[in-house]
Every structure is written in C-alpha cells, then in structure tokens.
C-alpha cells in the first residue's frame, strides 16, 4: 500500500505535460491539465526501494519487460520528465550513480565490442549509407541523414585546415567514413584505430575497395598503445565518452603526445554543461563503462595536457535531430530487426534512441566540438572562422 502511494506521488510530480497513468489495480489517474499527451500503463507494481536504489535501471528494465507500457512518444514523455524540476530525474533523492568502473585496456575492449560488434548488418538497417554512428550536421532544414553526416565529416576536416600530404590520426574511426574522406578528397595520409573487430574488418575492406592502400591504414588496437610518428592532425569523434572519468586526463595527454608541435586536433563528443554524469541503465545495457564528462572537466584536461583551445561549437540540436531520424529508420525496419533480436532487445533499443533524443532536447546533455592545438591556440589556422565554411 505504501509503495503504491509513493509511486503515485512520484508520477504526479514528474511531468510537465498532461499524462494519464493506469495502475496495476486498473484505476486510472490523470495528471496535468488538458487531454493526455502520453498514456502510461503500469502492469506490475514497481517497488519504491528499487527506484531509490537506481531509478533509471528500474524504470528502464520495467519498460523492457513490459511491466510499463507507453502509448505516445517516449521522447516527449522523457523530455517532459527532464524539464520537470520535481521529476525523479532531477530530484536528488532519486539520482543514483554507478560506482567507479574499470577502464583497463581489456575492459575497454570488451565494452566497445559489446556495443559496436552487434553486427554490421544490424547497424546497416537504420544508419545511412555512410555508416556514421555519431551526431550529424544539418546545414539545411531539408538535409537527408546521409547529406548531414557528410556535412559533419567535411565540417570537421575543414576546421583543421589540412594541407595535402599531411598526416591524420582518427581515434575511434568507426566504419571509416571520416578517415577515408580525408584520404580521398583532402589528399591526406591517414591512420584509423578502433577496438571493434566488426568495424576494423569493414574499414580494411573499404580501403582495399577504394584503392587507398598507399594513403590509409586501419589498426585494431587500444588508442593508448599506438606506435607511430606524431601526426599533423588528430580527429576523434564520439570517443571520450567511452574512456571513463578516471582516464580523461590520459586521453587528452595521449592526444597531445601524438600531435606534432603546432599540430591541430578536432575532438567531438557528448558533454554535459552541468557536470559529468553516469546513467545506470545506459551503462548496464547500452554503453558499459560510459561516462559523459562535464565541459569544465574537458577544458581542464585539455589545458593540463599542454594544449590550447582554438574554438568550441555546441551541436546539441543537431544530435537531437540525428537521433529522431535514427528512431524513424529503426521503426521502419522492425520486421528485419525481429529476425535478429527479440522483443526485449527491440524495446531496449527504442528506449535508448528516444531517451537520448529527449536528453539532448532538454539540454540535459550536449555534443561539443573542441578545436585544439599543440602550443599557442590556432597558431597555424586562419585568423577568422570564415575558412570553416568555404567550399
């Protein structure tokens, strides 16, 4: 009885939109003014002690297991919870972070492979043709996802102001679109590194298919173990979220060590402006070992590593739109996904995509590009930002 009362109070104060909740006893309550935008059906009692232990894991698993069902947009519902000051997502009584995690080279490899080695065939279903699994860049309102992903690749490379024949290291190269574009269209000599065997094999085949063996190389190894000469430029997209809070300093020190004097790096990743955070459910089911660092953390590590900031750009709304497009794509290919995975996985992945979109929409998290240089800021770059936008 007490659990039911507390859970009802939790629901009552958790949303900024009108919501209808049907409880296990069949009774329905409406919260907020106006017609419900989202309807929630609670099929089984949710123990309050589990919510207090870790609300994100408890509610995420309840949704995966159909203990909770939602009619309407998950993104709208979760964004509303982030925007409510009294929500379990914002109330300190319900915020629980995971304990410090291991980020040894072995654990990092296992973490990456548990997510990215789900299979290239799975990602091909709902990513665009570039197989780019990071925030796109929408230059025009009607850009397709593929166009926006290529916009992002060129936006990153243009920021470096790269010279033909120069060397580029891409840390966490994904399926290789950025590094191979740099080789093919900017005449750079590139090295990409990844811990994903699926990505490594795909990039290696792309290098061969595109005849870029003399300009491009992909390595299957930890970014901390690279044994190459320093590079003129470094890119790293969607990588530092995986290294762990305790390894952020080492990550930026490694970038500094791999850069030539006056070299330039573009680091692109999910960052919280409010301070770093773990998410229990995301860590358990989607990105083991993940940690979203705070803006102040990254800036401190950049400076302490002997580098300087040349430019910072926030792309929060771009990632919201990217995730919304991925969600639409994912829903369109559900018959094919069901041939690979069960319903629990599908509900998990759908929740992941929409929850992330809501988190960007609400400003809970951001994605930021850091343009940094080894030595005085932007010594080798043009005086104004105009060069970043020229064809």
């Amino acid at each position: 009885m007490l659990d039911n009362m507390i859970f009802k109070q939790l629901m009552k104060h958790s949303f900024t939109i009108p919501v209808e909740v049907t409880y296990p006893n069949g009774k329905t309550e409406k919260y907020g003014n106006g017609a419900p935008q989202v309807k929630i059906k609670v099929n089984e009692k949710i123990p309050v002690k589990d919510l207090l232990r870790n609300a994100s894991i408890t509610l995420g698993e309840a949704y995966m297991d159909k203990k909770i069902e939602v009619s309407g947009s998950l993104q709208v519902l979760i964004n509303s919870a982030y925007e409510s000051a009294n929500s379990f997502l914002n109330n300190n009584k319900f915020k629980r972070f995971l304990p410090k995690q291991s980020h040894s080279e072995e654990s990092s490899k296992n973490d990456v492979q548990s997510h990215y080695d789900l299979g290239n065939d799975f990602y091909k279903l709902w990513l665009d043709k570039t197989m780019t699994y990071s925030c796109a860049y929408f230059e025009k309102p009607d850009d397709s996802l593929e166009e926006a992903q290529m916009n992002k690749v060129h936006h990153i490379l243009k920021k470096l102001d790269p010279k033909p024949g120069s060397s580029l290291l891409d840390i966490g190269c994904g399926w290789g679109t950025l590094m191979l574009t740099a080789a093919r269209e900017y005449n750079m000599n590139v090295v990409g590194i990844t811990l994903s065997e699926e990505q490594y094999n795909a990039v290696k085949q792309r290098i061969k298919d595109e005849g870029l063996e003399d300009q491009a190389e992909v390595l299957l190894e930890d970014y901390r173990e690279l044994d190459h000469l320093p590079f003129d430029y470094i890119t790293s997209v969607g990588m530092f979220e995986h290294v762990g809070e305790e390894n952020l300093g080492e990550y930026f020190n490694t970038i500094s060590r791999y850069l030539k004097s006056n070299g330039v790096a573009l680091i692109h990743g999910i960052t919280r402006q409010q301070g770093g955070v773990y998410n229990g459910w995301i860590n358990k089911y989607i990105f083991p070992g993940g940690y979203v660092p705070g803006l102040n953390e990254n800036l401190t590590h950049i400076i302490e590593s002997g580098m300087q900031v040349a430019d910072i750009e926030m792309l929060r709304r771009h990632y919201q739109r990217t995730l919304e497009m991925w969600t639409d794509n994912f829903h369109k290919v559900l018959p094919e996904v069901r041939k690979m995975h069960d319903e629990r996985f599908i509900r998990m992945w759908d929740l992941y995509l929409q929850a992330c979109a809501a988190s960007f929409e609400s400003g809970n998290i951001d994605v930021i590009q850091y343009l940094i240089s080894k030595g005085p800021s932007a010594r080798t770059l043009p005086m104004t930002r105009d060069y970043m936008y020229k064809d």
Side-chain angles (χ1 to χ4, degrees):
M1 179 68 71
L2 183 61
D3 271 5
N4 288 337
M5 290 174 59
I6 295 173
F7 191 77
K8 285 185 178 182
Q9 285 298 310
L10 185 67
M11 290 292 102
K12 182 178 181 180
H13 297 290
S14 283
F15 307 106
T16 58
I17 60 171
V19 171
E20 179 182 286
V21 182
T22 301
Y23 292 98
N25 62 6
K27 291 185 177 180
T28 296
E29 300 279 355
K30 293 182 180 179
Y31 304 111
N33 299 319
Q37 292 187 29
V38 177
K39 295 182 179 181
I40 302 170
K41 185 180 180 184
V42 183
N43 294 318
E44 295 184 27
K45 184 178 73 173
I46 309 296
V48 170
K49 63 180 177 63
D50 292 343
L51 285 169
L52 290 170
R53 187 180 301 119
N54 197 304
S56 66
I57 290 178
T58 299
L59 294 174
E61 289 179 341
Y63 181 78
M64 290 163 61
D65 295 330
K66 289 192 174 182
K67 294 179 181 178
I68 294 177
E69 297 183 79
V70 175
S71 298
S73 169
L74 280 170
Q75 180 181 339
V76 168
L77 181 69
I78 296 170
N79 178 58
S80 171
Y82 275 121
E83 290 183 342
S84 171
N86 296 315
S87 165
F88 60 88
L89 293 175
N90 294 315
N91 191 316
N92 286 329
K93 289 188 296 184
F94 294 101
K95 284 184 177 180
R96 292 294 184 270
F97 302 137
L98 294 180
K100 191 173 183 179
Q101 302 165 78
S102 168
H103 284 86
S104 65
E105 291 184 13
E106 184 62 30
S107 65
S108 294
K109 181 178 180 180
N110 292 336
D111 291 345
V112 168
Q113 290 181 351
S114 72
H115 186 85
Y116 294 98
D117 285 353
L118 286 172
N120 291 341
D121 289 343
F122 170 68
Y123 287 102
K124 282 179 182 176
L125 287 175
W126 51 275
L127 295 179
D128 66 285
K129 291 181 181 179
T130 70
M131 288 291 285
T132 305
Y133 187 32
S134 57
C135 175
Y137 183 70
F138 295 88
E139 294 181 351
K140 300 186 297 296
D142 59 349
D143 279 339
S144 69
L145 182 57
E146 182 178 355
E147 289 170 335
Q149 290 293 7
M150 289 310 302
N151 292 344
K152 187 266 303 291
V153 167
H154 289 292
H155 192 51
I156 287 173
L157 293 172
K158 286 178 182 179
K159 284 186 175 185
L160 298 175
D161 193 35
K163 306 299 185 290
S166 58
S167 57
L168 169 71
L169 170 65
D170 190 18
I171 299 176
C173 64
W175 284 276
T177 296
L178 188 151
M179 60 175 283
L180 297 183
T181 300
R184 185 178 56 250
E185 299 187 36
Y186 292 77
N187 195 26
M188 302 178 77
N189 299 306
V190 301
V191 174
I193 54 176
T194 179
L195 286 174
S196 165
E197 292 186 7
E198 290 272 347
Q199 291 178 343
Y200 168 77
N201 291 330
V203 176
K204 195 171 183 179
Q205 187 62 48
R206 287 187 67 181
I207 291 172
K208 181 178 180 181
D209 291 345
E210 297 185 30
L212 293 171
E213 293 96 330
D214 293 338
Q215 285 181 264
E217 179 182 11
V218 62
L219 304 172
L220 182 66
E221 63 181 73
D222 190 277
Y223 76 97
R224 292 166 283 195
E225 296 299 323
L226 188 62
D227 184 22
H228 276 59
L229 294 173
F231 294 83
D232 297 301
Y233 306 98
I234 292 177
T235 52
S236 186
V237 178
M239 171 66 186
F240 62 59
E241 306 95 307
H242 299 290
V243 306
E245 181 179 9
E246 73 277 16
N247 287 330
L248 276 172
E250 180 182 17
Y251 170 79
F252 285 107
N253 282 332
T254 301
I255 289 172
S256 181
R257 187 170 76 250
Y258 290 163
L259 270 181
K260 292 181 180 178
S261 179
N262 296 317
V264 179
L266 191 289
I267 312 302
H268 168 125
I270 300 172
T271 312
R272 270 178 58 92
Q273 295 204 30
Q274 299 86 350
V277 70
Y278 296 100
N279 178 279
W281 184 81
I282 291 284
N283 279 76
K284 184 174 181 179
Y285 288 100
I286 306 298
F287 290 110
Y291 172 75
V292 176
L295 174 61
N296 59 329
E297 288 179 89
N298 284 340
L299 292 177
T300 296
H301 289 308
I302 289 169
I303 293 166
E304 289 181 347
S305 68
M307 298 185 290
Q308 293 193 7
V309 177
D311 189 84
I312 293 179
E313 183 175 10
M314 284 66 173
L315 299 176
R316 178 184 62 81
R317 292 191 295 167
H318 293 265
Y319 217 159
Q320 177 191 338
R321 182 176 294 185
T322 303
L323 281 153
E324 289 168 350
M325 286 185 165
W326 286 343
T327 300
D328 289 342
N329 290 348
F330 184 72
H331 288 169
K332 290 174 183 175
V333 298
L334 282 178
E336 294 301 313
V337 177
R338 287 192 173 98
K339 296 176 183 177
M340 302 177 180
H341 299 284
D342 61 19
E343 282 300 315
R344 191 171 192 263
F345 176 92
I346 289 170
R347 289 173 71 85
M348 176 189 76
W349 208 261
D350 194 22
L351 176 59
Y352 153 59
L353 293 174
Q354 293 199 58
C356 287
S359 203
F360 283 108
E361 182 178 6
S362 67
N364 179 53
I365 53 177
D366 207 327
V367 62
I368 298 177
Q369 290 187 349
Y370 305 82
L371 184 63
I372 55 183
S373 60
K374 179 82 169 284
S377 63
R379 173 180 277 173
T380 62
L381 297 176
M383 290 285 283
T384 73
R385 301 171 94 238
D386 293 348
Y387 78 96
M388 299 180 186
Y389 305 101
K390 292 179 179 178
D391 292 333

